[in-house]
Amino acid sequence: QNEFGKITCELKNVTGRIINIECGYPGRANDRGIYNHSQIGNNQLQIPEGTNLLADGGYTRNNLLVTPFNQRQVQNNPALL
């Protein structure tokens, strides 16, 4: 199997300090799969209560992850604008 690079996901706090790293995933891995296998996705990393993480649209929104609304969601709910 060909691997076109490795993916590294970093979690930084508001000051830019890296507080978690997940690395070594093949380039074909998707964001959601990496998150689901990560310490954060498996609740192994203690995140302060009331904290949210900003993620891109490749992730599934949950009680921890805040992701952008897609075009369909905005069209179906104009109040999001």
Side-chain angles (χ1 to χ4, degrees), residues 11-31:
L11 175 62
K12 297 180 180 181
N13 66 13
V14 294
T15 64
R17 181 174 167 239
I18 296 173
I19 57 174
N20 182 258
I21 270 192
E22 299 286 334
C23 60
Y25 291 90
R28 65 183 178 278
N30 65 46
D31 294 344

Side-chain angles (χ1 to χ4, degrees), residues 2-80:
N2 292 332
E3 293 182 11
F4 299 101
K6 300 281 184 191
I7 295 176
T8 301
C9 293
E10 298 176 356
L11 175 62
K12 297 180 180 181
N13 66 13
V14 294
T15 64
R17 181 174 167 239
I18 296 173
I19 57 174
N20 182 258
I21 270 192
E22 299 286 334
C23 60
Y25 291 90
R28 65 183 178 278
N30 65 46
D31 294 344
R32 188 178 309 155
I34 294 171
Y35 175 79
N36 289 338
H37 289 98
S38 72
Q39 290 179 327
I40 297 167
N42 286 304
N43 297 316
Q44 296 172 345
L45 185 67
Q46 193 165 8
I47 303 291
E49 189 172 332
T51 298
N52 291 103
L53 304 176
L54 299 177
D56 65 32
Y59 295 85
T60 302
R61 187 177 300 119
N62 63 31
N63 62 344
L64 181 63
L65 293 178
V66 177
T67 61
F69 294 106
N70 63 38
Q71 185 176 1
R72 188 182 71 230
Q73 291 169 316
V74 172
Q75 288 173 341
N76 292 337
N77 189 352
L80 295 174

